[in-house]
Amino acid sequence: MTELKNDLFLRALLREPVERTPIWMMRQAGRYLPEYRATRAEAGDFMSLCSNPELACEVTLQPLRRYQFDAAILFSDILTIPDAMGMGLYFSTGEGPKFKRTIDSAADVKNLPIPDVADSLDYVMAAVSKIRTALDGSVPLIGFAGSPWTVATYMIEGGSSKTYSKAKALLYSDPESADLLMEKLAQTTTDYLNAQIRAGAQAIMVFDTWGSVLEPEAYRRFSLASMQQIVDGLIREQDGRRVPVVLFTKGAGTRLRAMVDTGCDGLGVDWTTDLAEARELTGGKVALQGNLDPSLLYASDEAIRDGVIRVLESYGKGPGHVFNLGHGIHPEIDPAKVGVMVDTLREHSPRFHS
Ligand code: CP3
């Protein structure tokens, strides 16, 4: 294996000293980049892009050519798992993800197959190894999946939702079927992430985008417990190096405290929680990743610079911080604004590590 030339991101996740704060950006490969839109047009549509390892590798590298990011993230989607379970994922432009079939009953949950991911998601593993070769040790590669609860919301609702009423109805009306669904997803997700690690992913992120819509007890049972199961089942070391795991429940707030106990290495924090408070809640036991409000990238260059410095000051001095947005970048953002964020971080973060 080629030696990693820039391991700031991995070191920061293990709370080891770094000379500056590393940065990557959620949805760094995406629609705000004209070159992404061009490659997606070449592929035909979003799923054709995901399932073509060459083009998925190309769009993964695009943001790294423009900005000095300290990590790459696999180009794929959290909904490849239900697709591999036979649910028929498709994207209609401007409408987000949709499924041809949905989970509507206890029988649907029982009949849901556990796919052999090495086979049905082989295109993802092919993309991972292609990206690793192309990166040639420049920066580490992040693999990812959605949390079982977040993925289940799409499987039950048939797409995006504002209220999650169908998904919550299943949890409350038939909790045993909901447990079985989470179990099937947790098992498949663990296999899938381990396959990504074997193919070359050097860190793992689990996206629990909709965990915070649940009340505390339901969050623990249906979201946190299944993430715990995934963390417990993951390969944690490869090629003599720890493979750090980051959990991200958007809007986690005070739930960050319980998330620490999963044994993860890092937690994603969105912009609604101050990093100083998150650091206190988590007692310095994990690294923190975040948390500039993505909408701040609509602002003037000066306001962006102030915002980046505020995030650095809020975390404070010392190791254990990975800079990121608090959620994915919006598609309308001017790519030049991302440059302002990255340059400001490069200039100002060293003094937080001296
Ligand atoms: O971050 C990256 O650059 C890596 C790629 C990545 C994508 N999706 C590509 C994508 C990652 C990590 C995801 C995760 C994902 N997908 C999540 C969790 C993180 C989050 O943002 O909350 C969720 C909930 C999904 C499901 C999903 N995929 C939705 C709801 C949508 C449509 C809405 C939207 O944001 O566009 C997608 C499509 C999608 N996934 C796009 C990209 C670049 C846009 C599709 C396009 O190009 O038309």
Side-chain angles (χ1 to χ4, degrees), residues 82-241:
D83 190 46
M85 289 172 156
M87 298 195 60
L89 173 65
Y90 64 99
F91 283 80
S92 40
T93 323
E95 280 190 70
K98 293 256 191 302
F99 284 107
K100 291 197 185 120
R101 285 166 285 283
T102 52
I103 299 288
D104 290 318
S105 64
D108 288 345
V109 175
K110 209 170 282 160
N111 294 332
L112 193 69
I114 293 187
D116 175 353
V117 290
D119 178 35
S120 50
L121 294 172
D122 60 341
Y123 64 88
V124 177
M125 275 43 94
V128 169
S129 62
K130 214 173 242 311
I131 297 164
R132 270 301 296 276
T133 305
L135 284 173
D136 192 28
S138 52
V139 291
L141 175 63
I142 307 167
F144 73 91
S147 75
W149 158 249
T150 292
V151 171
T153 64
Y154 292 96
M155 296 166 75
I156 300 166
E157 303 278 348
S160 299
S161 167
K162 285 203 166 74
T163 58
Y164 309 93
S165 46
K166 269 189 85 190
K168 287 185 177 188
L170 178 76
L171 302 188
Y172 294 132
S173 66
D174 185 359
E176 285 75 26
S177 291
D179 281 335
L180 179 62
L181 178 56
M182 300 312 151
E183 170 64 32
K184 287 186 171 187
L185 284 168
Q187 253 185 53
T188 309
T189 304
T190 307
D191 289 350
Y192 178 50
L193 291 174
N194 281 337
Q196 289 184 28
I197 294 169
R198 284 190 204 97
Q202 292 151 295
I204 291 296
M205 176 131 174
V206 179
F207 290 94
D208 185 36
T209 308
W210 307 124
S212 59
V213 307
L214 295 173
E215 45 95 1
E217 179 52 34
Y219 173 72
R220 275 193 293 277
R221 174 165 172 181
F222 299 109
S223 176
L224 189 60
S226 55
M227 288 197 282
Q228 169 84 66
Q229 193 181 333
I230 292 168
V231 173
D232 288 343
L234 285 183
I235 297 168
R236 298 300 282 274
E237 199 181 304
Q238 173 151 278
D239 298 329
R241 206 164 179 150

Side-chain angles (χ1 to χ4, degrees), residues 24-32 36-37 40 45-47 49-50 59-60 63 72-79 89 91-97 142 144-147 150-151 153-154 159-160 205-210 248 250 327-329 331:
W24 69 281
M25 188 173 75
M26 285 189 265
R27 292 280 165 100
Q28 62 190 28
R31 289 160 291 179
Y32 73 106
Y36 168 83
R37 298 194 298 268
R40 189 186 57 186
D45 57 42
F46 175 72
M47 276 315 282
L49 179 52
C50 285
V59 294
T60 299
I73 181 161
L74 162 70
F75 189 82
S76 187
D77 199 79
I78 64 166
L79 301 177
L89 173 65
F91 283 80
S92 40
T93 323
E95 280 190 70
I142 307 167
F144 73 91
S147 75
T150 292
V151 171
T153 64
Y154 292 96
S160 299
M205 176 131 174
V206 179
F207 290 94
D208 185 36
T209 308
W210 307 124
F248 174 55
K250 182 166 163 268
H327 197 205
I329 185 170

